[in-house]
Structures are given as C-alpha cells and as structure tokens.
Amino acid sequence: MEPPVKLLNRVQLPRHIAIIMDGNGRWAKNRFLPRTAGHHAGVSSVRKAIEYCGSIGVEALTLFAFSSENWRRPQQEVSVLMGLFLATLERETEKLHQKNVRIRIIGDRTAFASELQDKITSAESLTLANTGLNVTIAANYGGRWEITEAVRRVAKLVAEGKIGPDAITTEVFASNLNLSDIPEPDLFIRTGGEKRISNFLLWQLAYTELYFTDTLWPDFDEAELEVAIRDYSGRQRRFGYTGEQVENLFVNPGLL
Ligand code: IPE
Ligand code: IPE
Ligand code: MG
C-alpha cells in the first residue's frame, strides 16, 4: 500500500476540517470503564488529527471539545474535562508551537477557572504569529452563542453610529464571527454515530460537506481521517449551480 501522503496528493484536499469529537463515553462503557477514561483516551486522537492534518497540508482544523450544553453533565465529569483541558494545554502547547501550529480557543471562556483562562491566553499569544496549521478548540462553545455575540457587536456599531442598518450585509455580519480570517469548513466530521450538528458552527457550516461515522472518537485515527477526506474529495460541491455548470467551470473557470 502507498503511504497516505502520496495517495492524498491525488485527491482534493479540504482547506478546513471541523470535527465533533463524539463517542468517548460509549468507548469507555464498552470497556467497562468510567466515562472519563474515554475522555483521556480521546486526547491521543486529538494529537493524531492535528499531526495528520499538519502533515498533509490542511490549513485549519477546528475541534469541538466542550459545548455550552455540556455543563449539564455530572459535576465530576465536567471537572475531569476541565482538568484534562488544562493538562493538555500545559503539555502540548510548546510542542505545537515548535511545529508552527497556531492555537485558538473559541467559546465563552469567562466561565472557566482563572488558571485555565490564563493558560488559554498564553497558548494563544505564544502561537499567534505561527503560519502552519490553524488549530481551533471550541470550548464552552455554542453556535447560537456565537451568532448572538456577533449580533451584539454589530448592534453596538449601529448604536454608536459607525455603520447604518443598511450596511449590515452577510459579509459584514460574518466578519464579526469567530474564525472570520480562515475559510469556512470544507469538511465536517462527526464521530460516534449521531447525525446532528449539536450547536456547532451553525453559520459557518452552511455549505460544508457533512461526514458521519460510527467510529468512536478514541478509535478515530489517521486511516479513518483519510477515509473521510477521500469521501469528501469524491463529492461535487455545487453552491446552488447545476452539476453541468460546475463541470464547465473546471474546463473554463472564467465562465461563471
Ligand atoms: C464527546 O464524547 C466528548 C464531549 C462531549 C466532551 P461524549 O462524552 O459525548 O461520548 P458519548 O456520546 O457519551 O459516547
Ligand atoms: C457534542 O457532543 C459536543 C462535543 C463533542 C464537545 P454531545 O455528546 O454533547 O452532543 P449531543 O448531546 O449528543 O447532541
Ligand atoms: Mg456524546
């Protein structure tokens, strides 16, 4: 078998991959372990995904780690997740910095312990100027929260007389969302078998190709990621055009 990098040279590579890392609890349950063992095991899949995406030339990887609804879980599980987030940032930030990775966290960080908030800020500032893979961790994140925040920002601009209501275009609005400096996700992956978005990047996923797999997150490795990318590369993205128009666009890109 050829090495994956060589194989992937021949497929259309997504610039931005967004993943809902789901199935940790069930992975642990299948092994008669506590749910939190699944979260620990999931960290190595995060490492694999980051390394693989960096090695094949994907520009951005956004990972859903903790939703604004996940506070509803048992307090003990929440606190393990917070501890794991902190420990992983402490352990991995320098290594990722060496690999030219830019780290960002999206979500309402004000709910986190101040130690975690500080670690987040220092990881972001250390890697701010890095030009390699853009890794974004969505933590205490919700798509509706993000859109509401953007609405608030735009409303302030209007209230301060900086822009008129008629100047609020799709582009102006989107520029007030997180990640407005990187392309919207091309490929969305959800592991763990559920077929829903669970309040992830609601705005940004408008034209993203969706891929669902039953594989549980701790079992999701480079080979699984490659299967997802190959699946993506076989799809025709039409953005409202007809299939024929899109095919002609390949022959004559100036047509549309
Ligand atoms: C995803 O795995 C991790 C988080 C939501 C933090 P789950 O913990 O949701 O795993 P399942 O869905 O219960 O198996
Ligand atoms: C979504 O997973 C959030 C993360 C993976 C962090 P959940 O397991 O919380 O989603 P639901 O509750 O099944 O929709
Ligand atoms: Mg789940």
Side-chain angles (χ1 to χ4, degrees):
M1 203 184 112
E2 293 173 84
V5 175
K6 198 171 168 207
L7 282 171
L8 282 169
N9 280 343
R10 279 187 245 131
V11 307
Q12 196 191 328
L13 206 60
R15 294 177 69 188
H16 182 178
I17 301 178
I19 308 182
I20 297 187
M21 310 184 287
D22 197 17
N24 294 351
R26 279 163 286 164
W27 182 92
K29 205 172 161 215
N30 290 344
R31 288 166 176 72
F32 307 101
L33 294 168
R35 293 179 52 82
T36 49
H39 299 317
H40 280 101
V43 176
S44 66
S45 296
V46 172
R47 207 176 293 124
K48 285 177 196 164
I50 292 175
E51 276 185 17
Y52 188 69
C53 286
S55 74
I56 62 173
V58 169
E59 293 167 43
L61 175 66
T62 301
L63 301 167
F64 204 1
F66 190 88
S67 77
S68 41
E69 291 74 29
N70 286 145
W71 297 107
R72 296 172 183 161
R73 294 188 176 201
Q75 205 259 314
Q76 189 260 352
E77 180 171 344
V78 170
S79 95
V80 167
L81 284 165
M82 292 298 144
L84 203 54
F85 190 18
L86 181 71
T88 307
L89 269 181
E90 275 171 351
R91 205 179 46 237
E92 306 289 336
T93 299
E94 187 54 45
K95 283 185 249 173
L96 292 173
H97 180 50
Q98 296 306 326
K99 289 181 181 151
N100 199 21
V101 168
R102 179 171 179 193
I103 305 171
R104 270 187 280 194
I105 280 71
I106 55 169
D108 183 3
R109 62 183 70 180
T110 60
F112 297 145
S114 59
E115 192 189 5
L116 179 53
Q117 292 191 42
D118 292 347
K119 274 281 164 312
I120 289 173
T121 312
S122 53
E124 287 178 332
S125 33
L126 177 72
T127 63
L128 182 70
N130 289 349
T131 53
L133 181 67
N134 273 288
V135 172
T136 304
I137 308 292
N140 193 18
Y141 173 87
R144 289 179 179 171
W145 167 83
E146 181 182 11
I147 291 170
T148 309
E149 287 291 301
V151 168
R152 207 194 318 276
R153 266 178 233 135
V154 173
K156 248 175 122 184
L157 293 175
V158 175
E160 288 164 358
K162 291 188 176 136
I163 60 169
D166 294 338
I168 307 172
T169 58
T170 311
E171 291 74 22
V172 166
F173 183 74
S175 70
N176 285 279
L177 291 163
N178 294 135
L179 309 182
S180 57
D181 59 325
I182 56 179
E184 286 170 1
D186 300 297
L187 170 62
F188 160 99
I189 298 171
R190 182 172 187 143
T191 62
E194 311 300 345
K195 291 173 185 67
R196 52 179 173 258
I197 304 291
S198 299
N199 203 13
F200 197 29
L201 307 165
L202 294 181
W203 174 284
Q204 295 88 338
L205 293 177
Y207 265 106
T208 304
E209 294 297 326
L210 307 180
Y211 178 88
F212 298 93
T213 171
D214 288 336
T215 302
L216 305 171
W217 178 249
D219 292 326
F220 193 81
D221 59 10
E222 296 88 346
E224 297 268 350
L225 192 47
E226 190 189 328
V227 171
I229 293 173
R230 290 187 156 283
D231 187 279
Y232 163 83
S233 79
R235 299 188 190 186
Q236 186 186 53
R237 301 183 76 185
R238 290 196 278 274
F239 300 100
Y241 295 112
T242 66
E244 290 73 19
Q245 283 176 301
V246 174
E247 279 159 27
N248 286 334
L249 198 60
F250 270 109
V251 182
N252 181 2
L255 211 61
L256 295 167

